[in-house]
Amino acid sequence: MNIYLSGRGGFAVEVADALLDEGHKLAGVSAPRLRKGQSDEGNAMAWDRLRGWAFPRGIPWTDSAELRAMHVPDGVDVIVAAHSHAFLGRKTRARATIATIGYHPSLLPLHRGRDAIRWTVRDGDKVTGGSVYHLTERTDGGPLAAQEHVFVPPGSTAQSLWREHLAPLGVRLLLKVVADLAEGRRIEVPQDDKLATWEPAMDSAPLFKPELIALPGSTPVDSSKWALHSP
């Protein structure tokens, strides 16, 4: 499968390595220019980890803040969002001939939104999980392709829950769905919106929506409740 990966940080690198290990090809990646809190563009150590991973391998990179349909090359089968905070608009998603999928660290439709894990811990949930879903115009609202639960160990923090349980689960579920798609198995289970919960981001700005055109005199869009995402 020819894959385009949109993501950031260590999780995206783990997904990229795993996809290559499974024999898939990466046509390109999008990631932030710099790691969070870094400002020295000339220092490669300050680059986002996915950007730094792609450079020595000769894999084309695009700044996720600038990602548009034209940056996704021809012949891409699947677009994968792995800890991506970039907006994948309709035109961008259409560049994938088979599917555009993403991973969300909750049992969707529960805990939609950027800070799913932090809300899971804050709410004292005993069970959580991960979901791979087909990206649509609705934030974390697309049909499910795979889902699995995990128990929340006592004393978990958002960091430990992600690092020890939900990130490894995400890599495995994304690989499973890509393998299914490669074999012609396309699973799409609609989410039950009556069960959905939405929690706002605790300390993050709303998603930037470059493909949405603001009409003169129109009300600004609250992009935090629209499309895309992984944790």
Side-chain angles (χ1 to χ4, degrees):
M1 296 281 277
N2 203 25
I3 295 173
Y4 191 90
L5 179 64
S6 176
R8 64 191 301 163
F11 178 64
V13 170
E14 290 181 26
V15 171
D17 279 331
L19 288 169
L20 293 183
D21 287 345
E22 290 294 311
H24 304 292
K25 298 179 180 179
L26 282 179
V29 303
S30 71
R33 285 187 173 275
L34 302 173
R35 296 175 188 241
K36 186 176 181 180
Q38 299 293 322
S39 59
D40 185 1
E41 175 66 28
N43 177 12
M45 294 300 295
W47 290 2
D48 177 84
R49 288 183 62 183
L50 181 59
R51 179 188 179 189
W53 176 92
F55 179 76
R57 292 168 174 80
I59 297 174
W61 162 80
T62 297
D63 186 344
S64 55
E66 301 172 359
L67 179 61
R68 307 289 191 279
M70 63 184 178
H71 296 119
V72 180
D74 293 337
V76 166
D77 299 308
V78 179
I79 297 174
V80 174
H83 202 168
S84 173
H85 290 167
F87 173 64
L88 301 187
R90 186 187 303 273
K91 292 180 180 179
T92 304
R93 298 195 306 272
R95 295 291 291 164
T97 60
I98 296 177
T100 300
I101 59 173
Y103 175 66
H104 190 75
S106 81
L107 292 173
L108 290 173
L110 300 178
H111 293 307
R112 292 174 178 172
R114 278 194 182 188
D115 280 330
I117 306 174
R118 293 169 71 180
W119 283 102
T120 293
V121 173
R122 176 171 173 169
D123 290 351
D125 295 353
K126 303 299 184 185
V127 178
T128 186
S131 307
V132 173
Y133 64 105
H134 296 268
L135 271 61
T136 67
E137 291 298 295
R138 302 181 59 210
T139 301
D140 305 331
L144 300 171
Q147 189 173 74
E148 189 173 316
H149 79 274
V150 298
F151 293 103
V152 180
S156 291
T157 64
Q159 292 75 18
S160 68
L161 188 57
W162 168 251
R163 182 178 61 254
E164 298 171 15
H165 300 280
L166 295 179
L169 175 61
V171 175
R172 180 161 57 80
L173 287 182
L174 284 170
L175 288 181
K176 175 185 182 303
V177 174
V178 169
D180 284 344
L181 293 170
E183 295 295 327
R185 295 186 296 270
R186 185 184 180 94
I187 299 171
E188 295 185 76
V189 179
Q191 296 188 37
D192 187 346
D193 285 341
K194 295 189 297 294
L195 301 177
T197 61
W198 172 270
E199 284 83 25
M202 292 183 177
D203 55 12
S204 301
L207 291 175
F208 174 56
K209 306 287 185 172
E211 290 187 7
L212 297 181
I213 300 175
L215 299 176
S218 63
T219 301
V221 175
D222 179 3
S223 60
S224 66
K225 294 187 179 181
W226 276 59
L228 199 139
H229 21 48
S230 315

